[in-house]
Amino acid sequence: MAVPAPSAVNVRLSLGHSITGRWITRKGEPVAEGWVRFVPFGREPSGFPMRQPGVRTDGQGRFTLEGLPEEEGLLLAREAKGSVAVAVVKPPLAQEVSLVADLAGAVVVGGDKRCREAFVESRWGRLSSAALVSLGALGKVPAAGKGGVLFLPPGRYRFGCWDDEDKECCWTRPFSVFSGEVVTASP
């Protein structure tokens, strides 16, 4: 039995949501020419580009990100001098986001042959490889048995990874990152 083709097909596309905000220092001064991007939780690199689109802040530290999904994620900001900022957000937002810059600390992570892909547990939740690439843009994300260096905002963290069978393995002990300092974490 043949089914007649529809005479018209309607496709409805969403433009996505936007986030506006301002990035400032602890003294309240704007962070101009900083880079801000949004990384949804739970999206791995295969589902979201490794180099997520982002925007630069203007001279007053203001930014607008558009076309975002309606799901919780991280608002990540970094600039060339080593300042970083992180916030958990869920678009759409009714008000402007305020990010406060903090000097990143460096984390040297030892490699483990069993480790296929790394992730980090933090106060913002579990950070996927996509989020780690954003935070560690000046460094190297640990993966495939090799160590790396990440630049993370001050806070308490724990590294882990998935092995070739997608099982969690190679956990580090919890460790703290302080502003401008270097720490070492090994499985």
Side-chain angles (χ1 to χ4, degrees), residues 26 32 36 55 62-63 80 97 105 122 137 148 165 169:
R26 291 202 177 276
V36 181
V55 296
R62 296 198 181 284
F63 61 89
V97 174
S122 71
E165 297 174 2
C169 71

Side-chain angles (χ1 to χ4, degrees), residues 90-168:
K90 182 176 180 182
L93 299 175
Q95 60 192 28
E96 185 175 274
V97 174
S98 182
L99 295 174
V100 179
D102 215 336
L103 186 62
V107 182
V108 179
V109 183
D112 189 297
K113 292 177 187 175
R114 299 170 292 169
C115 196
R116 176 181 51 82
E117 185 178 331
F119 58 84
V120 172
E121 285 194 345
S122 71
R123 69 177 183 247
W124 306 288
R126 185 170 282 187
L127 307 182
S128 68
S129 293
L132 292 176
V133 167
S134 296
L135 286 169
L138 302 175
K140 182 178 180 208
V141 176
K146 297 180 181 167
V149 178
L150 292 171
F151 296 89
L152 298 173
R156 191 143 176 88
Y157 300 93
R158 191 167 82 137
F159 277 97
C161 66
W162 286 284
D163 63 16
D164 288 331
E165 297 174 2
D166 287 330
K167 293 180 184 171
E168 293 180 6

Side-chain angles (χ1 to χ4, degrees), residues 34-123:
W35 192 249
V36 181
R37 63 177 49 127
F38 175 76
V39 179
F41 284 134
R43 294 234 190 144
E44 296 306 319
S46 60
F48 197 73
M50 290 293 282
R51 295 285 179 202
Q52 301 88 343
V55 296
R56 289 227 179 256
T57 57
D58 66 13
Q60 295 300 310
R62 296 198 181 284
F63 61 89
T64 299
L65 290 162
E66 297 178 332
L68 303 176
E70 187 174 336
E71 58 186 281
E72 192 173 51
L74 290 174
L75 194 57
L76 306 168
R78 68 172 177 82
E79 56 92 32
K81 295 178 186 174
S83 292
V84 294
V86 179
V88 175
V89 295
K90 182 176 180 182
L93 299 175
Q95 60 192 28
E96 185 175 274
V97 174
S98 182
L99 295 174
V100 179
D102 215 336
L103 186 62
V107 182
V108 179
V109 183
D112 189 297
K113 292 177 187 175
R114 299 170 292 169
C115 196
R116 176 181 51 82
E117 185 178 331
F119 58 84
V120 172
E121 285 194 345
S122 71
R123 69 177 183 247

